[in-house]
Amino acid sequence: SSSSFSSSPSSSRLPLDNRSRVANEIYETEKNYVRYLSIMGELFHGPLVKAVDEKPILSATEIKTLFSELPVICGFHQFLLNKLETLMKSWDSATSLMGEIFLDIDTYVKGYNQYVANYPIAIALYEQLITSNPAFAQFLNKPERTAPLKGLTILDCLIMPIQRIPRYMLLLKELLKNTPQGHPDHPLIEKAISKVGETAVNINNVGRLAENQSKIFSLFRMIQGYPDELLIPSRAYVREGKLIIYETWKNQSRYYFLFNDVLIETTKKMHIPLTTRTGKKGSRLGLAGTTKGSHISTNKYSFKRQFSLRELTVMPVPDTPGAYSNAWRFTSKTAVGSSSFIVMAASPEEKEGWLGDLEKYIKEQSSKANTLRKSFSSQTIVDRKPQSTSTAKERSTISRTLKMSKSTLLN
């Protein structure tokens, strides 16, 4: 009973009013969260969807990219809020069970994975639309939309689902700290923390993957003339930077992108501003009169060549006065031949960083290749053809997704 529980030694050390305070904080923060989700749905997502068939502000694809699974997430949290509201109406700190409400959270937050994975693309799209689509900017700034947000922006709201699951972890841990061990809610809160923790880990993993894929996607748009599919599921971005290829007659500046499986060599594109300057006697000079120093670097790159890390080796090269410093040698051996060249970094620290990453991922790719060869030789892989077909289908699907996303972001 409530009275016998209240007189237990553990409850005297952990005041029940603290437990009520934390329970109420869970409820109030959930109510506030659902309020902002509802505003996003009723004042932003809904009107934009309705306008598609009348006077479009955004396309259906842009709306889906921007809001992703927000309607699904809002529906789940409204359901969760109803359960919390029912609990808090009859709340008794000594007997009420908050933990059980969160035991099934993993079955309800599946929309979160897709939302988190899409989030970097949504933000990139928003930043483009806010400058390229005046109608969208005007739509966002109407008083009937800005007033209910109470000083927040649509970006503040879009990040709320990313922050909510970790917030549950903090609140449930605080609730557990203020719930005596003999309380029937104690084991339920422990289980709830475990469930929410698993969900948070999954979401974090998806988030890291999304950030990586978003980075690679942005590079896909920046590297012009790349002949292969850059965005494949197993590819991870590692580093990038300017290196100098040592040549006896003239050194060549190159910009490299290192992934966990390939090294891509590019040149950074330059452009000359379409402006004129005043020459002698006030004459107007166009591009022919523009000085070399007025070339401006762009964020675009021209593809030169690509090296598979399975076919690449690196060897540090000692500094040679008058020739090269902070250097190492690349050697690429393929079925059609081999090539070798020396590159130089700007500093010893940069050289160390490049060599560390190169050696790590070259070793990783070599290990994968050896494992694959052993698998084939022991006939643990039954047939290569289905695997090849599957890979082709996977690449084809990704290619279509990229083209659609690229069209969404660029057009």
Side-chain angles (χ1 to χ4, degrees), residues 35 39 43 142-151:
R35 175 181 174 273
I39 289 173
L43 300 184
K142 285 190 175 181
E144 61 265 32
R145 294 188 179 85
T146 57
L149 291 180
K150 297 182 177 179

Side-chain angles (χ1 to χ4, degrees), residues 215-231 235 237 239-241 255-259 262-269 298-306 402 406 410:
K215 174 66 177 178
I216 297 177
F217 179 72
S218 68
L219 295 179
F220 171 80
R221 295 157 55 203
M222 290 162 54
I223 301 176
Q224 298 178 348
Y226 186 74
D228 200 359
E229 293 296 351
L230 186 58
L231 188 60
R235 181 162 291 166
Y237 169 82
R239 66 157 57 223
E240 65 186 80
Y255 200 88
Y256 289 89
F257 296 92
L258 177 63
F259 300 88
V262 295
L263 176 70
I264 297 176
E265 181 184 291
T266 70
T267 54
K268 197 167 179 63
K269 299 195 74 174
T298 70
N299 64 343
K300 299 291 184 182
Y301 302 85
S302 294
F303 175 80
K304 299 296 290 185
R305 52 183 172 171
Q306 174 176 289
L402 274 173
K406 188 174 183 182
L410 297 180

Side-chain angles (χ1 to χ4, degrees), residues 11-65:
S11 65
S12 64
R13 292 194 301 270
L14 295 168
L16 293 180
D17 59 341
N18 281 346
R19 175 173 148 80
S20 297
R21 173 185 57 78
V22 179
N24 190 63
E25 186 176 358
I26 292 173
Y27 168 64
E28 289 296 335
T29 57
E30 187 68 16
K31 185 163 65 173
N32 193 52
Y33 178 48
V34 170
R35 175 181 174 273
Y36 280 106
L37 290 179
S38 299
I39 289 173
M40 290 291 285
E42 294 168 10
L43 300 184
F44 293 88
H45 179 264
L48 286 170
V49 171
K50 184 178 179 182
V52 170
D53 296 326
E54 299 171 1
K55 189 178 179 182
I57 300 171
L58 301 180
S59 69
T61 302
E62 287 171 331
I63 295 170
K64 179 64 177 176
T65 301

